[in-house]
Amino acid sequence: MGGKSAEHEISLISALNILLSLDRERFEPLLIGIDKEGKWWLQDEQRLREQPMDPKQIQLPDTDRPVAVVPGASAPHFIDLSTGKPLPEPVAVFAILHGPNGEDGSIQGLLQHLHLPYVGPDLLGSAVCMDKDVAKRLMTEAGIPNAAFRTFRAWEQAQISFEDLTQALQPPLFVKPARMGSSVGISKVQNAAELKAAVELAFRFDRKIVIEEGIVGREIEVAVLGNEDPKASVIGEIVPEVDFYDYESKYVSADGATLLLPAPDMDEATIQRVREAAIHAYQTLECEGLSRVDYFLCEDGSLMLNEINTLPGFTKISMYPSLWGLTGIPYSDLITQLIELAIDRQRALDALQVSQ
């Protein structure tokens, strides 16, 4: 939990919620916090529980127990450097690390080196979905409709022109860091002055940005769960009460958006079409374990894929666990199923031949 990311605090809140709902008859939690410098620390459960469930106040508790990671197939994999002794070997890792350095394949690659089961998509699926530019190019190749866009690198910043963009893209435009989540660094722009400020903001979080055409439609979300045979949840809808569903709306302000569970006024044929499309997108972008698939449902009935979030929030107002709760999987059972899916995948990987 935590991590070297702008979503550090949301990760801590997600971790707290998971901790409070973990099936203690089956699992005993081992808590490792990663601070904003990327250092790993063993955490005390009681001190973590005392933290406020508020992204503006929550902090990773200070500790004097640094953790070292030991690669390889054999245990131990985690060492408490304050004592020099190994920590209990985990049956699985729930890397609830949102954003860069946690949701982008980096931690997944490390855990693969450790031969440890972990929750969520693997290195490839995580990296692909985290990069909006790469994900959108793969969507387009697979015939999955998504918003028209342009991609720019940091050294191209001076070339970005509102006039040029609006010849190809219909405003309003959305300017986004290519590899960031939770709406961090995203702006909606209507003119050249707003574009300049939005581009500067986005480049503060990434060296590559995506500028998308605005899509008019209902914002709907589907939770997908599974490995080889994934299932889709009921459909939820987000109705922003502000200009768009930003970071503040998601995690800070209870008045920022209305979550409709399930999405109203949707016929069975449309519901089935959305769920099938979500599973197709999930598999196309190499997802396993879990992901939240976000769409725009346009007035003509067409679907435009917005993004796939491979490690959606697990806070008390997060859409992913709420959707599965409505579908019939309570929060605690959902956590257990995610851990079991991680173990199943690792078992399949361990069965593969690694030499001639």
Side-chain angles (χ1 to χ4, degrees), residues 179-249:
R179 294 159 294 205
M180 186 63 68
S182 293
S183 299
V184 172
I186 295 181
S187 304
K188 180 180 179 180
V189 303
Q190 299 274 9
N191 55 54
E194 291 178 347
L195 177 66
K196 183 178 186 298
V199 165
E200 290 174 353
L201 174 65
F203 275 128
R204 284 168 48 192
F205 293 97
D206 200 346
R207 297 177 65 246
K208 179 169 70 168
I209 68 171
V210 168
I211 301 179
E212 289 181 341
E213 179 176 87
I215 300 296
V216 177
R218 297 170 63 181
E219 296 187 37
I220 59 174
E221 300 188 344
V222 186
V224 182
L225 175 70
N227 292 340
E228 294 88 355
D229 185 27
K231 308 297 182 187
S233 71
V234 300
I235 299 166
E237 181 173 2
I238 296 168
V239 181
E241 305 296 339
V242 290
D243 206 22
F244 71 98
Y245 193 42
D246 59 7
Y247 180 94
E248 190 86 6
S249 305

Side-chain angles (χ1 to χ4, degrees), residues 126-149:
S126 299
V128 162
C129 291
M130 190 69 187
D131 190 315
K132 296 176 179 64
D133 167 48
V134 173
K136 288 172 73 64
R137 284 190 272 140
L138 287 175
M139 292 177 206
T140 302
E141 175 69 22
I144 298 173
N146 62 94
F149 72 105

